[in-house]
Amino acid sequence: TQLLEQSPQFLSIQEGENLTVYCNSSSVFSSLQWYRQEPGEGPVLLVTVVTGGEVKKLKRLTFQFGDARKDSSLHITAAQTGDTGLYLCAGGIGMEYGNKLVFGAGTILRVKS
Amino acid sequence: SAVISQKPSRDICQRGTSLTIQCQVDSQVTMMFWYRQQPGQSLTLIATANQGSEATYESGFVIDKFPISRPNLTFSTLTVSNMSPEDSSIYLCSGEGMNTEAFFGQGTRLTVV
């Protein structure tokens, strides 16, 4: 069973602070995605990384895929109250019938003004 | 990215009854998935909805309890059968993008009383 361990589970910070969320596994993933979800909505894709060592930036968000494609991190610089939400990492696994995603436990981020 | 419409968005149902959730994608997708999520927590994959064949269920989920239909490449339904309060949850459908990333509907919040 492939597991994706995500930490921390909960993060409460002041506006302007930086933070990092981690996802780790002993399994190799074909891709790694990060999603953000707000209450009452489905998760929304932020980024997909597919190459070991890949780094992607999306404004104040920086995503990194580990060299061995087993881990990833999400770093937010100068957090804003609008960043509040549930952040989920998900690893892509090739199956006989196609691909499926394994999700981390999620990180609830609260940014206070 | 695909746009996914899911309905109903919420429902309150009596125990022992069944509810069918519909998921419509605005473009053809090869893979569609159904997930369950407790508020503020991660997603658990119920099954992969296969077009033209029986759905592939994850461990702990069975067809008698969660029958799934996938008549074409843009539509799927999930039925929650013989409901009990333990089935109260958020149910989400998703379609798969090119790099296994998922595009989600807004979810169905089910409460069983």
Side-chain angles (χ1 to χ4, degrees), chain B residues 8 11 23 25 30 35 37 41 44 52 55 69 87 90 99 101 113:
Chain B
D11 208 341
C23 183
V25 191
T30 304
Y35 294 86
Q37 181 185 33
Q41 297 185 23
T44 300
S69 77
D87 295 321
I90 299 168
N99 286 319
E101 66 268 30
V113 297

Side-chain angles (χ1 to χ4, degrees), chain A residues 1 4 9 11 26 34 44 46 48-49 59 66 70-71 85 87 93 98 102 108:
Chain A
T1 303
L4 200 50
Q9 276 190 285
L11 201 52
S26 58
W34 286 90
V44 175
L46 296 174
T48 300
V49 285
K59 296 183 180 178
K70 294 182 180 181
D71 55 270
Y87 289 81
I93 300 172
V102 173
I108 297 174

